[in-house]
Structure formats: structure tokens, C-alpha cells
Amino acid sequence: MSFSLAAGDLGEDLLVIEGNVLFDGTVLNRVLRHSLAINVAAVAAFTPPMSGTVVDIGDDDRLIRQVHKGVGVPCGARRGAWKTVNVYRFSAPLVRVLCDIHARVRDSNPFAYLEDLLKLAVDGVEKILTVDCSDCRWYEVDDLADLHNAREVFGNVSN
């Protein structure tokens, strides 16, 4: 898993941005300027035509459950769900926890996604606050259909 390979030896707070996500600068500003916690995940309301990783958020804006995408969670399959934007700010201690989790699951799941590790961390009571980016332009591009949808959101940018 690329996250633990890259982050494992750094021992620093990290900003994690998955490479297949297009987003407005507002998303990044909200994650960086969140003043209540160092561990922050950008999220948005889970709306059509999205699929993939969804999270549940507690009354205190804390990420309380993460459901990994696997083959995809169909939109509308879970009421009140939030979609991960895949832009995160992690403290050095949380990075160590995530790398330790990966080391424990590596044999059974060598290609674990970051979302898999986050699910185990959250289940293990690590505190990750969320910041709502529903009003921001962003799109996760996993296939040609997503690319088409992203072009609708951002306008037709040159290749």
C-alpha cells in the first residue's frame, strides 16, 4: 500500500490527497484551516451519481464509521451517508497508527486501501473530525464515466 510505504518513516503530520480527485481550492483550505483537530477528513453529502466509500458522522462531526467501497455502495443505499472526498490531514501519531494497522493486516490484505486502514482506526476509537465540503466542486475519477461527470462539474478542460 502506497500510503504506508511513503508515510511510514516520515514521523510527521501529513496532508494526504488521493491522486484521482479533482477539487476546488476551498476543499484544501477547509481541511488545512480546521482549528478543532489535526486529524481531519473532507466529506460531502453522498449524492448521485456517486458510489464508493461512505462514512457516518456523529453529532460532534466525528467520523464514526467507514464503509469501504469494495464493489461500490450504490448511491441512495444508505440514508444520511457522506462520501469521502479523499483529502485528509493526519497527525504523526495517527500516521503511526495507520502504518501499524497496515503491518498487522498486510499478510491477509496486502493491497489494503487507505479506507480499510481508516475503518480499523476509527473502529479502534481514533478521533478524526470531518469538514463538510458539499458546497465545493470536487469529483473522484475512477473511470471514463467519472471523467465525463467531472467535466460536467468543472467544465470541459483540455486534456
Side-chain angles (χ1 to χ4, degrees):
M1 182 203 157
S2 56
F3 171 80
S4 55
L5 289 174
D9 294 326
L10 292 177
E12 298 178 13
D13 297 345
L14 293 179
L15 179 64
V16 177
I17 302 171
E18 294 193 14
N20 63 336
V21 179
L22 302 173
F23 56 89
D24 280 337
T26 307
V27 172
L28 191 55
N29 286 334
R30 288 184 186 172
V31 169
L32 291 174
R33 294 196 172 129
H34 196 292
S35 60
L36 297 178
I38 188 68
N39 298 316
V40 180
V43 298
F46 193 55
T47 58
M50 294 177 186
S51 65
T53 303
V54 297
V55 297
D56 294 327
I57 299 172
D59 292 336
D60 59 355
D61 293 331
R62 181 177 170 196
L63 193 148
I64 56 172
R65 183 172 32 164
Q66 180 137 345
V67 179
H68 185 255
K69 59 185 168 189
V71 294
V73 176
C75 188
R78 299 191 64 235
R79 288 187 100 57
W82 294 80
K83 174 80 175 87
T84 54
V85 177
N86 298 326
V87 177
Y88 305 94
R89 187 176 80 196
F90 294 148
S91 67
L94 180 57
V95 170
R96 283 191 296 278
V97 166
L98 293 171
C99 290
D100 289 347
I101 290 170
H102 185 245
R104 287 196 310 270
V105 302
R106 188 175 332 177
D107 290 338
S108 62
N109 189 1
F111 302 106
Y113 289 98
L114 177 58
E115 290 92 339
D116 295 322
L117 306 182
L118 286 171
K119 179 189 182 324
L120 294 171
V122 169
D123 289 350
V125 301
E126 290 297 322
K127 187 173 182 178
I128 301 171
L129 292 185
T130 59
V131 60
D132 185 358
C133 295
S134 298
D135 63 333
C136 302
R137 290 188 314 165
W138 72 277
Y139 214 89
E140 180 179 359
V141 180
D142 291 322
D143 55 32
L144 287 176
D146 288 343
L147 179 58
H148 171 75
N149 292 332
R151 285 182 171 150
E152 291 292 321
V153 170
F154 285 92
N156 209 359
V157 295
S158 61
N159 294 332

